[in-house]
Amino acid sequence: GKMAQDMTEKELLKMELDQLKKEVKNERQMVSKTGKELKEYIESMAGDDPLLKGVPEDKNPFKEKGGCTIS
């Protein structure tokens, strides 16, 4: 496809319209309901969240394999 800066105003508006046609089909829910559900889910998963509790050294695939020396 073309980059946005290479498109005519008509093409940009058509693209925006196509996107809005897709978005209008999305099911909507109240944030007051989904926010509470999201909070409960996050709290229930917190015990297994590596961002909160860290990753054990022996299970970390990104651990440094060795040092680096510059001579």
Side-chain angles (χ1 to χ4, degrees), residues 17-38:
L17 185 62
D18 290 343
Q19 182 63 33
L20 290 170
K21 282 179 183 175
K22 289 177 195 163
E23 289 179 23
V24 79
K25 294 176 192 159
N26 289 343
E27 184 185 337
R28 308 275 187 221
Q29 291 192 352
M30 299 290 283
V31 173
S32 55
K33 177 178 181 288
T34 57
K36 185 170 171 281
E37 290 172 0
L38 190 59

Side-chain angles (χ1 to χ4, degrees), residues 7-59:
M7 297 171 77
T8 65
E9 188 176 0
K10 184 180 174 190
E11 288 173 315
L12 287 168
L13 289 170
K14 183 184 181 318
M15 204 167 94
E16 186 176 352
L17 185 62
D18 290 343
Q19 182 63 33
L20 290 170
K21 282 179 183 175
K22 289 177 195 163
E23 289 179 23
V24 79
K25 294 176 192 159
N26 289 343
E27 184 185 337
R28 308 275 187 221
Q29 291 192 352
M30 299 290 283
V31 173
S32 55
K33 177 178 181 288
T34 57
K36 185 170 171 281
E37 290 172 0
L38 190 59
K39 180 175 179 276
E40 287 167 2
Y41 173 78
I42 291 168
E43 287 172 351
S44 74
M45 302 301 274
D48 299 319
D49 190 334
L51 293 176
L52 291 175
K53 66 175 207 160
V55 177
E57 279 299 305
D58 58 334
K59 297 232 180 4

